[in-house]
Structures are given as C-alpha cells and as structure tokens.
Amino acid sequence: MLSVVPKTEWIKTWSENGVGWVQLNHENKLNPLSAGFILAIKEATEKFDNDLSIGCIVLIGSEKAFAAGADLKEMVKHNFASVYETRYIENGWLDIPKIQTPIIAGVKGYALGGGCELAMMCDFIIASDNAKFGQPEINIGAIPGAGGTQRLTRSIGKSKAMLAILTGDMISAEEAEKSGLVAKVVSNEEFNVSLKEIAQKIANQSKPLAKLAKQAVNVAYETTLDEGIRTERALFYSTFALQDHVEGMEAFSEKRKPVWNNR
C-alpha cells in the first residue's frame, strides 16, 4: 500500500476555553479533499480528542466552502486496482467518526460530495444560511463512497436521499434543517458567535458524561432499538461511578451550578 503524507500545512488549529478548533485551510478555498488532506484532518481531531482539557471540537472551513468535494485531480489518476491498493476511502475517513469528544461541523458555503460526508461524520451540523449540501458524485461518473448513501439516508430518509443522490442536486440550508440533516441554521452574520456559544456550552459540561451521552446516541443511530436500550441502560448505570454524578446531584439539591471534576 502506498504511503500518504498528511498535508498539515492545510490545517489551522487553536484552542479556547476547552474548545478545540480545526479549520480546513487549503490554498484552494473550496477545500478539495485529497487523501493527505483527510489524514491531516484526522490527526488534528485526534490530537484534540486526546487532550484532556478539550471538551468539544469544532471543524470549520472557509467563508466560501466547508469542503466542496474530493480533489478530482487526485481522483482521476486512480483506477479500480489502485483505489483498493491505496485504501482510497479508508485511511482517515474511517477514523474521524471514532472521535470520542463531541465534534461539531460548522458549515458555511458548500458542503458537497466528500465535504457533505465529512460534515455528517461529525456529531451534528450548525450551518450558515448560505450553506449548500449535496452528493453530486453521479454527475462526474461516481457515487458517494465515504458514507454518503448511508448517513444521508439515515439523516433525511430514503426518498429525500434518493432524490439528492440520483439527481446530484444541492440541498439548501433551510431544507437541510427541515429534513434533519442540520441541527440549526443561523444567519451568516451571527454564525461565528452562535457556533462558539454552542461549542462552549458543550465544553463546559462534564467531559466523561458528554462522551457517554454521545456514545448512547450513536448506538441509537447505528443499531436496533432493543440494543440501544440495553446500551443506554448500561451507560446510565456507569454514570453512578463518576464523581461528576455525585456533584451534579448535590448541586441540584443545593440549587447551585455544578463544579465538574471531569472524573
């Protein structure tokens, strides 16, 4: 298998008050997603995931696009054998959904193809009112390959997913919110402030409790109801072993804000 070098020069990261920010900063403001770019995104998010001071991760793009799709200059060089040999849609792509820390996709402009798939790998999406989503791969002789047919269908239902994938048409921010693809749409002027407020609120929660809650919701998304109920119950019981559980209960009884120990 050919080695891929992470394109770390196309990533900006910073942290503020327990929130880790990862910005896609390709020299092309449409942020075309190459194999090296995805590996750099994976490494940046994993670094924050392993940082005990970080309670929320936010993935953002440029003013023009979150990411407008795959790097076609790279893709056109591949054939059937080489995509298997290089694990073209495995390296990095399969690791980002495994992040345990809550992770938000903040989308301005285009989130198309691989960009839409990347956004859906996050726990939820906050979108600017100028955001556009879609899986237009069929227009260039392909189909979604990084989870688009699966996550989009689970998010907005079979009929709407079929319409989007078979036509390649874009989905507006308003329609994305109505159909459940996007958690919240805010005006472009208020986007940065609103995104920061939401991320900060999550980062201020007990970190182990937030991770357990994320795990429980993901089980509901990925398995049957019976399995989800069993997992939720087991995770609920496990919270009783946390110091933050005791603190939360005591703070409620004493009518004060809890002071989390994150343990």
Side-chain angles (χ1 to χ4, degrees):
M1 185 178 70
L2 299 175
S3 61
V4 177
V5 178
K7 302 292 286 186
T8 55
E9 65 270 27
W10 293 338
I11 297 290
K12 281 187 177 181
T13 63
W14 67 95
S15 61
E16 183 179 7
N17 298 324
V19 178
W21 294 83
V22 178
Q23 183 176 23
L24 283 58
N25 193 45
H26 196 288
E27 56 196 26
N28 179 340
K29 294 306 179 183
L30 291 175
N31 287 320
L33 296 171
S34 62
F37 198 6
I38 285 293
L39 279 183
I41 296 167
K42 171 218 170 194
E43 289 186 357
T45 54
E46 284 184 341
K47 184 176 181 180
F48 279 135
D49 194 32
N50 292 324
D51 186 337
L52 297 180
S53 71
I54 299 299
C56 184
I57 302 168
V58 185
L59 189 60
I60 58 175
S62 68
E63 290 290 327
K64 192 171 184 178
F66 178 75
D71 187 336
L72 297 184
K73 292 181 180 179
E74 177 183 78
M75 184 183 291
V76 75
K77 299 175 183 178
H78 282 285
N79 56 32
F80 180 77
S82 67
V83 291
Y84 265 93
E85 181 185 0
T86 61
R87 297 181 182 177
Y88 183 60
I89 303 291
E90 294 179 51
N91 291 319
W93 291 101
L94 296 182
D95 298 301
I96 294 168
K98 297 176 184 177
I99 297 294
Q100 292 184 320
T101 304
I103 180 168
I104 305 169
V107 176
K108 285 186 175 184
Y110 298 109
L112 305 176
C116 187
E117 290 170 314
L118 178 61
M120 290 191 291
M121 289 178 190
C122 298
D123 295 320
F124 60 89
I125 301 169
I126 302 297
S128 167
D129 56 9
N130 73 351
K132 300 286 186 182
F133 300 87
Q135 300 291 162
E137 288 88 347
I138 199 166
N139 293 328
I140 58 166
I143 68 169
T149 62
Q150 305 304 301
R151 291 190 174 94
L152 190 63
T153 302
R154 285 166 170 78
S155 294
I156 69 177
K158 177 185 174 183
S159 292
K160 287 184 178 293
M162 280 287 193
L163 178 63
I165 291 167
L166 294 179
T167 64
D169 289 346
M170 289 188 286
I171 303 169
S172 69
E174 180 182 9
E175 178 62 24
E177 183 181 30
K178 286 180 180 178
S179 60
L181 175 59
V182 165
K184 187 175 183 179
V185 174
V186 295
S187 69
N188 196 47
E189 293 75 19
E190 298 174 349
F191 179 81
N192 292 336
V193 172
S194 295
L195 182 59
K196 185 175 180 179
E197 287 177 350
I198 293 168
Q200 191 66 67
K201 190 169 187 178
I202 294 172
N204 288 343
Q205 303 287 6
S206 160
K207 293 178 178 63
L209 285 170
K211 290 178 180 179
L212 288 172
K214 169 176 174 170
Q215 183 180 348
V217 173
N218 279 336
V219 171
Y221 181 76
E222 296 165 359
T223 65
T224 64
L225 177 60
D226 284 346
E227 180 61 32
I229 293 294
R230 283 192 293 271
T231 301
E232 179 191 68
R233 185 166 57 245
L235 292 172
F236 170 72
Y237 289 161
S238 73
T239 65
F240 284 73
L242 295 172
Q243 291 182 20
D244 283 348
H245 174 81
V246 176
E247 168 60 15
M249 295 293 165
E250 289 181 351
F252 179 79
S253 298
E254 296 167 7
K255 298 181 179 180
R256 61 175 175 82
K257 288 186 178 181
V259 179
W260 304 121
N261 297 305
N262 295 315
R263 61 184 67 181

